[in-house]
Amino acid sequence: MIFYFSGTGNSRWAAELLGQCLDERIVSISETVGTSTNFTLKKDEVVGFVFPVHGWRVPRIVDEFMRTLELLDTNSQSKARHYTFCLLTAGDSIGRTMERFVKLIREVKSGATLDLNAVESVLMPESYVGLPGMDVDKPEKEHKKIEDAENAIVRFASTVKERKIRQGDVPLGWEQLKRGPIPDFFSGPVGAFFTHFLITDKPFRVESERCVQCGICAKVCPVGDIDGGKGKEPKWKNNGKCLTCFSCYHHCPHHAIEYGNRTKHKGQYFFGKRNG
């Protein structure tokens, strides 16, 4: 079973590719919001997690999901450990995101304590456009990132399929994670700044003359933060749920959504956009 969260489609694609390679079912974390987070595992079924890095940290929706997740076994008396892995997607570096995730996974309720056996991080096309100087990748770079990521994910799937065990105290792939320079600083003070000041829907606005009220933005929001739909101009609910994943911005077919003045003249990206 592979649990995933995705805003602009990068992590969904990665989870689907892993699911195909491993013949495993995938579960969207955003679709579990407001429902039961108890899942029953089959005998010898792997447990995987795939999600993007938000501000060099675990996305809030994933954090909240992990705190309520309960994994049961078909055989309620079984204490067998399930092979567990995690794959992160990022536009650049991941900082100490995986270290933060390790703390969450240890608290998951299950028949046997979960320990990560293998980890991986792959670079995917950039989608964060909320700060000056940050924009989507050029087509050539976008294509190269996806090509390299596909190769890395297929290799990682082989590791999982063969149930290769962790080496010593750290999971397979731990030392090769793309943490970037000064990861403690980025996941610490910089990540805290992102969490408290930049993860908000308040700057989002609509250019009414470009909006055709198609409802796409409301449909793609992973947390239902947009009051909209076909025939309605979108309004953000300001209810604290926004992840600032920019899915609404990137999927708008007429570029009618802006994030204050920070997204003017910037590009749009979601997985498959250039082939759509």
Side-chain angles (χ1 to χ4, degrees), residues 80-189:
R81 291 175 179 264
H82 290 267
Y83 191 94
T84 306
F85 65 89
C86 181
L87 182 141
L88 303 179
T89 63
D92 192 353
S93 60
I94 70 167
R96 295 294 184 193
T97 304
M98 194 66 79
E99 282 83 348
R100 289 172 173 265
F101 183 71
V102 165
K103 295 178 181 178
L104 291 170
I105 202 170
R106 288 173 179 165
E107 301 301 319
V108 172
K109 297 175 184 177
S110 62
T113 303
L114 295 182
D115 283 318
L116 281 175
N117 296 105
V119 295
E120 179 65 278
S121 62
V122 294
L123 296 183
M124 290 293 292
E126 183 63 74
S127 63
Y128 186 79
V129 290
L131 285 174
M134 301 189 77
D135 201 347
V136 300
D137 293 321
K138 299 294 185 184
E140 300 78 16
K141 188 174 183 179
E142 178 184 309
H143 178 77
K144 183 68 164 58
K145 279 186 174 182
I146 293 174
E147 183 179 41
D148 290 347
E150 183 171 10
N151 292 332
I153 292 170
V154 170
R155 288 195 301 270
F156 184 62
S158 296
T159 295
V160 175
K161 199 166 190 176
E162 294 171 22
R163 302 293 199 275
K164 292 184 179 179
I165 60 174
R166 55 192 294 161
Q167 300 170 326
D169 295 329
V170 298
L172 287 171
W174 188 262
E175 301 300 334
Q176 290 73 46
L177 292 172
K178 300 169 179 64
R179 293 186 174 87
I182 49 177
D184 293 305
F185 174 69
F186 280 102
S187 286

Side-chain angles (χ1 to χ4, degrees), residues 1-4 11-20 22-29 31 39 45 48 50 85:
M1 182 177 291
I2 301 172
F3 299 100
Y4 78 92
S11 293
R12 182 180 65 240
W13 168 76
E16 288 174 346
L17 181 56
L18 278 172
Q20 292 167 7
L22 300 172
D23 193 25
E24 285 287 342
R25 51 182 169 161
I26 66 173
V27 176
S28 168
I29 290 175
E31 291 179 7
F39 296 88
E45 186 171 10
V50 181
F85 65 89

